[in-house]
């Protein structure tokens, strides 16, 4: 069934009319009227699928729960396709807005929203024939997990895969740029530097995989300092004999 947010949204003439109504029913002078977030859309998808993915994601996670999602798409043909989404905070009934639903602020729900985005995006990527996948976890968590997997791997190829993954995710996360500052020179330079670092780590990851998957070496990983030391099997056997 369609959410009340979806039904109510059809009753407003425009985005500005919606938020004018939201502000009108807000009782507190400085009360929060909306939740706002940006979402980066997989560049591998067609423009139609980019829009469908965001719309279906918002429908499932927000509108079906009773919120209204106001979506604005930007730069769909660029290397940085994204959408700005504003969500209402109050429950909606036949008479209009009611009270704010505080459960929508629960951190567990926010984690579920992140995981849902990854799951739905990966489904679209798979359908599009792309091998790219999204991981909703933090880069730090992904890197630590990849290093742990590398330590437990039994083959050089498997170790190389996880070491490459660790190399790719061994970087700071991109910082959120508010839409009001997106066109600022400083913000553009910041994002360009972050993307350059990401691209550099991807290239380094490819080199790591090629190196360690082809060499007949045992790979020793120091998780704490993220150092990778290749030790020849001959050296290992000599060491074990001592």
């Amino acid at each position: 069934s369609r959410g009340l947010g979806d039904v109510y949204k059809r009753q407003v003439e425009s985005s500005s009319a919606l938020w004018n109504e939201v502000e009108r029913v807000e009782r507190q002078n400085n009360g929060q009227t909306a939740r706002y977030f940006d979402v980066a859309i997989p560049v591998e998808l067609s423009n139609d699928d980019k829009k469908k993915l965001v719309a279906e994601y918002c429908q499932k996670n927000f509108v079906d729960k009773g919120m209204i999602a106001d979506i604005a798409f930007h730069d769909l043909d660029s290397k940085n396709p994204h959408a700005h989404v504003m969500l209402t905070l109050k429950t909606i009934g036949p008479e209009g807005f009611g009270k704010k639903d505080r459960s929508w602020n629960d951190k567990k729900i926010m984690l579920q929203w992140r995981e849902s985005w990854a799951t739905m995006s990966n489904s679209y990527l798979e359908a599009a024939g792309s091998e790219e996948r999204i991981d909703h976890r933090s880069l730090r968590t992904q890197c630590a997990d990849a290093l742990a997997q590398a330590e437990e791997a039994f083959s050089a190829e498997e170790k190389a895969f996880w070491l490459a993954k660790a190399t790719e995710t061994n970087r700071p996360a991109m910082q959120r740029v508010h839409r009001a500052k997106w066109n600022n020179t400083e913000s553009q330079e910041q994002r360009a530097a972050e993307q350059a670092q990401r691209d550099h780590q991807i290239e380094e990851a490819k080199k790591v995989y090629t190196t360690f998957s082809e060499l007949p070496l045992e790979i020793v990983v120091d998780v704490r300092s993220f150092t990778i030391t290749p030790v020849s099997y001959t050296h290992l056997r000599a060491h074990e004999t001592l």
Side-chain angles (χ1 to χ4, degrees), residues 125-139:
L125 286 166
E126 183 177 6
S130 173
E131 295 183 357
E132 295 294 328
R133 295 294 182 268
I134 291 176
D135 194 325
H136 67 284
R137 299 173 301 169
S138 68
L139 290 174

Side-chain angles (χ1 to χ4, degrees), residues 70-220:
D70 187 9
I71 307 169
F73 293 97
H74 292 275
D75 304 327
L76 293 183
D77 293 316
S78 73
K79 294 183 179 180
N80 183 38
H82 60 281
H84 302 304
V85 182
M86 291 182 68
L87 302 171
T88 53
L89 302 177
K90 293 188 175 184
T91 56
I92 304 169
E95 303 301 323
F97 288 104
K99 296 181 179 180
K100 290 182 180 178
D101 191 331
R102 303 298 180 183
S103 67
W104 292 343
N105 293 329
D106 193 306
K107 290 184 178 180
K108 292 182 180 179
I109 292 181
M110 295 184 184
L111 291 175
Q112 291 173 5
W113 291 342
R114 288 173 59 89
E115 184 175 2
S116 177
W117 173 252
T119 300
M120 296 182 71
S121 296
N122 290 338
S123 177
Y124 268 76
L125 286 166
E126 183 177 6
S130 173
E131 295 183 357
E132 295 294 328
R133 295 294 182 268
I134 291 176
D135 194 325
H136 67 284
R137 299 173 301 169
S138 68
L139 290 174
R140 179 178 297 180
T141 298
Q142 292 180 52
C143 183
D145 178 66
L147 288 172
Q149 295 285 354
E151 284 192 312
E152 298 177 0
F154 292 101
S155 68
E157 184 176 2
E158 185 182 359
K159 285 177 182 288
F161 171 83
W162 288 113
L163 287 173
K165 180 69 174 179
T167 302
E168 181 180 344
T169 54
N170 187 37
R171 61 178 174 84
M174 291 187 182
Q175 299 300 304
R176 177 180 176 272
V177 177
H178 192 280
R179 61 178 176 174
K181 298 181 179 180
W182 176 246
N183 292 321
N184 290 357
T185 300
E186 183 179 352
S187 296
Q188 291 291 314
E189 291 177 349
Q190 171 193 319
R191 183 49 49 86
E194 292 171 335
Q195 291 175 332
Q197 176 64 20
R198 177 201 61 189
D199 294 343
H200 173 73
Q201 291 303 117
I202 290 175
E203 291 303 313
E204 289 298 308
K206 293 177 181 177
K207 294 177 183 178
V208 167
Y209 180 81
T210 299
T211 299
F212 287 101
S213 62
E214 294 180 353
L215 293 178
L217 302 174
E218 182 71 17
I219 301 170
V220 178

Side-chain angles (χ1 to χ4, degrees), residues 1-7 10 59-60 62-66:
S1 61
R2 308 292 279 183
L4 284 172
D6 182 70
V7 175
R10 292 198 296 268
Q59 181 72 46
K60 176 182 178 181
F62 311 120
V63 177
D64 285 349
K65 303 296 188 296

